[in-house]
Amino acid sequence: MLRSPFRSVRSKLVALSLALIVIPGAVFAFLAVSGATDALERAVGRQLAMVAGDAAKQLASRLDEQRERLASWANQELMREVIVTDVDKRISRFLLGQRTRTPMLLDALVTNAAGTVVAATDPAMLDTVPAADLVSARVAQDEVAIDGPRPSSRYDRPVLELAIAIRDPEDATSSLGVLHAIYDWRLIAAALEVIRADNDALGVDVELLVLDRDGTLIGGSWTPRDALEAGTSLRTAGWRSAAPDAPSYDVEPSVDALVGRATLAPPAPRWSVLAVEPRASALAPIVAMNRRLIGTLLIVLLAGACVATVLAHRMVRPLRLLTRATGELARVGGALQTVPVRSRDEIGELTVAFNRMAADLRGAHDDLVATARLASVGEIAAGIAHEVRTPLGILRGSAQMLGRRLHSEDAQQRELVDMIVGEVDRLERVVSGLTELAKPRPPAIEVTPLGPLLERAAEFVAGQASESSVAVRVEPADGPCTARCDSEQIYQVILNLVVNALQAQPKGGEVRLRTVAGTNGHAGFEVSDDGAGIAPEVQARIFTPFYTRREKGTGLGLALVERIVRAHGGTVTVASTPGAGATFRVELPAGGAS
């Protein structure tokens, strides 16, 4: 069955790593951009409020300048001649001179109490009744009235009118007439153009709008867009910044812009100046930061994917090796594979545990195989012992009777009889060994010192060793060495190993017996010789029943040794190099172990 690649551990690890990069990165980017946007909007809003404040001061300053100038003109001595007939030329020449010195002044005129023009910079206005939209009727005694800006067909441009009453020197409560000054609004508002040009030079796209107290656009400096023309009521159009109680800066959603607001200070009219900057322009650094963040996040994501892939491969590789080794271990007869430990983390601990488990399972398997093999041998032994022992006894007795009847001088026949008796004895020993394998005696476990058992075995074979010119030496132990075992059965193990060593030992050699401190709560002993050694292929089969290298051997001694040691919960191993002797090592549960 095909497995989805997204169901593998490596894919999940990579996906998890990428999620750990993308999700925090996206959250961080969102928080950073959101916070930076809010901070930048506040900073730009305050800056726009300052720009609007500067523009309002400039505009108010120009208006105050013209108000003061007009008031000084009205206080001129010659203005009292308004009531004198035919003095218009003198006042008109004065006004004409002021227009020459004031570029933004389009016209100036004086009306008498009847509303008739008695002096003007334009002679065509004399002796006429001015248009009704002049502010004469609305001029108070000590105030400068402002009207406009308003479009004018006469001047083909927006104009701003300032008017002030000419006071009667003999009656302070009455006026002789009204002095009117008509200004070019565009020149008065030229300061806004300068402010806008300065911001353009700094790369700031700011538009300046002047609103009257009703929120109607009356002037400013802006690029025509969205049908935004003078006379448009921004308050009616839904501009929040055109409301009377609008804050000093805010976001204007109707045009997607940031707006700073300032109001002209008295005695200037209660006009408002708006400094407007599109959000796209104001937040351009945030857009650039977004691009950098996205680029950085993509680079980090790519690098993270590469690192996560490598790490996932390194993490999954031991798991694959464990899976493969498990499959090999599950197969009958499969080779035992030791998985290399590549890390000290949980996977490394799992690998160590698997190797330990595999070794234990292989040991258990070997124990089961050996037990099954010995059980088969036991069944065979029971039958052989029953069927063979009686005929062997008859053969031996018959051979001995035949030997007694032969003449002593017939040496050849005597030798044949002895040969028959010897072979019958050997078969008897084989049957006895098979009997022991068939019916093993349970060990009587008790704490037993191993040193005395080694010395007892050495004394027992001393005579045989002397005949073979072989020395048997028990090496002194570093300390007491005890094991939980059946002393007689372990003595039989020692004796079998020592006899095998003597038989493999050349004349003049030495057999060494010594106790050893085992590992993991075990104790034991070693039997070493200086013989020809054991080949590796022989070591693999040396404990197999009926396997022997000696011509007269039965192949049951070492099998019996292994069975007894395993019955005690111990191990027997052999270490040998061809030509350098062999060492048999037996480890048993140490004395005092539970």
Side-chain angles (χ1 to χ4, degrees):
M1 181 178 63
L2 295 178
R3 184 177 62 179
S4 171
F6 296 103
R7 296 177 60 185
S8 66
V9 174
R10 183 169 65 179
S11 300
K12 292 178 180 178
L13 289 174
V14 173
L16 177 60
S17 301
L18 296 183
L20 293 177
I21 295 174
V22 172
I23 294 176
V27 172
F28 171 77
F30 172 77
L31 294 177
V33 170
S34 177
T37 300
D38 293 341
L40 186 59
E41 284 184 351
R42 289 192 296 270
V44 172
R46 287 191 291 265
Q47 182 180 5
L48 291 175
M50 294 174 60
V51 172
D54 291 341
K57 290 178 182 179
Q58 292 280 352
L59 187 58
S61 176
R62 291 204 171 195
L63 291 176
D64 291 343
E65 180 183 356
Q66 300 308 316
R67 288 162 61 95
E68 293 174 0
R69 183 174 295 175
L70 191 63
S72 68
W73 295 349
N75 290 327
Q76 295 289 329
E77 190 70 24
L78 62 86
M79 290 296 175
R80 299 174 183 178
E81 299 178 1
V82 172
I83 59 175
V84 179
T85 306
D86 198 24
V87 295
D88 58 293
K89 292 182 179 179
R90 185 178 175 186
I91 298 177
S92 296
R93 284 195 299 270
F94 171 78
L95 296 178
L96 187 60
Q98 298 301 323
R99 187 182 70 173
T100 303
R101 289 190 291 270
T102 309
M104 64 184 66
L105 182 62
L106 296 176
D107 272 318
L109 60 133
V110 177
T111 58
N112 58 19
T116 302
V117 177
V118 295
T121 54
D122 184 358
M125 293 183 176
L126 294 175
D127 299 326
T128 64
V129 177
D133 56 355
L134 288 177
V135 297
S136 306
R138 290 179 279 131
V139 175
Q141 181 71 20
D142 296 323
E143 294 182 355
V144 175
I146 297 178
D147 189 47
R150 63 176 183 270
S152 172
S153 58
R154 174 183 176 85
Y155 300 103
D156 194 24
R157 69 193 68 183
V159 297
L160 182 70
E161 179 188 355
L162 275 70
I164 188 171
I166 302 173
R167 290 180 293 179
D168 186 350
E170 297 182 3
D171 185 3
T173 62
S174 63
S175 62
L176 302 177
V178 178
L179 174 60
H180 301 266
I182 301 174
Y183 294 91
D184 187 345
W185 168 247
R186 292 180 300 180
L187 295 180
I188 292 180
L192 305 183
E193 287 286 355
V194 174
I195 294 176
R196 178 182 177 182
D198 291 342
N199 283 278
D200 285 342
L202 297 175
V204 180
D205 181 16
V206 176
E207 299 178 355
L208 297 172
L209 309 178
V210 181
L211 309 182
D212 63 12
R213 65 178 60 211
D214 297 326
T216 300
L217 179 61
I218 59 175
S221 172
W222 74 91
T223 302
R225 63 174 185 175
D226 300 330
L228 192 62
E229 299 178 354
T232 303
S233 176
L234 299 186
R235 191 176 299 174
T236 304
W239 283 49
R240 297 189 309 189
S241 50
D245 56 348
S248 60
Y249 60 87
D250 198 2
V251 177
E252 186 58 66
S254 58
V255 290
D256 192 24
L258 298 176
V259 178
R261 175 189 170 98
T263 303
L264 275 65
R270 298 294 294 173
W271 294 346
S272 299
V273 178
L274 304 184
V276 183
E277 182 178 5
R279 290 183 80 248
S281 174
L283 302 181
I286 299 298
V287 175
M289 186 179 73
N290 281 343
R291 295 195 185 98
R292 290 193 294 270
L293 282 176
I294 292 174
T296 303
L297 184 60
L298 291 177
I299 293 174
V300 172
L301 186 62
L302 180 60
C306 296
V307 173
T309 301
V310 173
L311 292 179
H313 176 72
R314 293 186 62 182
M315 293 179 65
V316 172
R317 183 181 179 186
L319 297 178
R320 289 182 174 176
L321 293 176
L322 286 172
T323 303
R324 187 180 303 114
T326 302
E328 291 293 331
L329 187 64
R331 289 193 302 113
V332 178
L336 175 62
Q337 293 187 358
T338 300
V339 181
V341 180
R342 302 180 182 274
S343 62
R344 296 183 179 181
D345 53 10
E346 289 79 1
I347 295 180
E349 294 176 358
L350 176 62
T351 304
V352 172
F354 173 82
N355 290 335
R356 187 183 303 115
M357 178 198 69
D360 293 342
L361 288 176
R362 183 58 67 194
H365 176 267
D366 294 342
D367 290 344
L368 289 175
V369 172
T371 301
R373 184 186 301 124
L374 292 176
S376 300
V377 171
E379 293 178 0
I380 296 173
I384 293 177
H386 178 71
E387 298 294 336
V388 173
R389 180 164 288 172
T390 301
L392 286 178
I394 296 174
L395 287 175
R396 190 174 189 282
S398 299
Q400 289 176 341
M401 291 176 60
L402 183 59
R404 287 194 294 269
R405 293 180 182 180
L406 293 176
H407 299 289
S408 58
E409 64 272 7
D410 194 349
Q412 183 177 6
Q413 292 181 0
R414 192 69 168 173
E415 181 179 356
L416 290 176
V417 171
D418 293 339
M419 184 180 299
I420 292 173
V421 173
E423 290 301 318
V424 169
D425 291 340
R426 191 177 72 83
L427 289 176
E428 179 65 26
R429 290 194 302 272
V430 171
V431 171
S432 298
L434 290 175
T435 302
E436 292 181 3
L437 287 175
K439 295 180 180 180
R441 180 174 59 84
I445 302 298
E446 59 183 4
V447 177
T448 303
L450 297 178
L453 296 181
L454 297 180
E455 294 174 356
R456 175 183 170 189
E459 292 175 358
F460 183 80
V461 299
Q464 180 181 353
S466 177
E467 293 179 0
S468 302
S469 301
V470 175
V472 178
R473 180 168 59 89
V474 179
E475 296 181 356
D478 295 335
C481 182
T482 61
R484 294 177 57 83
C485 62
D486 185 320
S487 59
E488 290 302 321
Q489 291 189 7
I490 295 304
Y491 172 72
Q492 184 180 0
V493 168
I494 297 172
L495 194 58
N496 280 340
L497 294 178
V498 172
V499 170
N500 282 348
L502 287 174
Q503 293 174 351
Q505 194 74 352
K507 289 186 178 182
E510 184 181 53
V511 175
R512 297 173 298 280
L513 290 77
R514 60 178 173 272
T515 58
V516 293
T519 58
N520 297 325
H522 285 73
F525 57 88
E526 289 182 348
V527 177
S528 302
D529 62 63
D530 297 331
I534 305 173
E537 63 274 10
V538 176
Q539 295 181 34
R541 302 180 57 191
I542 197 167
F543 296 106
T544 303
F546 302 111
Y547 179 78
T548 180
R549 295 175 300 160
R550 296 196 304 272
E551 181 179 354
K552 295 184 178 182
T554 62
L556 295 175
L558 291 179
L560 182 62
V561 166
E562 184 185 40
R563 180 158 190 167
I564 293 175
V565 172
R566 286 184 180 275
H568 283 74
T571 59
V572 55
T573 57
V574 59
S576 177
T577 300
T583 298
F584 286 83
R585 181 185 181 100
V586 175
E587 290 190 3
L588 301 168
S594 57

